[in-house]
Amino acid sequence: MIKARVVKKAPIRAWTNATRSGHLLNFDLVDKDGTMIQATAFNECATAWDAIIETDSVYTFSNGQIKIANKRFTSITNDYCVTFGKDSQCEKCDEDEEI
């Protein structure tokens, strides 16, 4: 589980590759240690979370997958990113001044 503040949220957008297509939602997270990581929610998760996630609010995230970051798609210097899909969960938390 990750508890983090959303510091940036991009508009939901469509994606396609040679075999599939869908929607994605990118957002940047910062935790209480100041570590930033880019997060991406895909398809049903992206659509549902777009209505829930607000910039500058704190959330807990679970059932994500940590991957090596593709530096072409992020401005964050973290070597990793986190992706969320249909089994992932997001819950808004009370304000946390430590984050």
Side-chain angles (χ1 to χ4, degrees), residues 10-26:
I12 197 167
R13 63 184 177 93
W15 62 271
T16 60
N17 64 26
T19 58
R20 298 181 297 171
S21 64
H23 293 86
L24 65 82
L25 175 66
N26 283 324

Side-chain angles (χ1 to χ4, degrees), residues 7-47:
V7 293
K8 180 179 168 187
K9 177 184 166 191
I12 197 167
R13 63 184 177 93
W15 62 271
T16 60
N17 64 26
T19 58
R20 298 181 297 171
S21 64
H23 293 86
L24 65 82
L25 175 66
N26 283 324
F27 49 101
D28 296 344
L29 303 173
V30 64
D31 66 10
K32 70 177 183 169
D33 296 325
T35 303
M36 292 189 70
I37 191 166
Q38 182 180 28
T40 305
F42 287 95
N43 301 320
E44 301 90 9
C45 184
T47 304

Side-chain angles (χ1 to χ4, degrees), residues 35-75:
T35 303
M36 292 189 70
I37 191 166
Q38 182 180 28
T40 305
F42 287 95
N43 301 320
E44 301 90 9
C45 184
T47 304
W49 290 12
D50 187 44
I52 297 169
I53 292 177
E54 300 172 350
T55 301
D56 205 34
S57 292
V58 178
Y59 299 85
T60 57
F61 300 93
S62 58
N63 295 331
Q65 185 176 21
I66 303 297
K67 297 181 175 184
I68 300 293
N70 185 334
K71 300 296 183 174
R72 293 184 307 160
F73 300 114
T74 183
S75 61

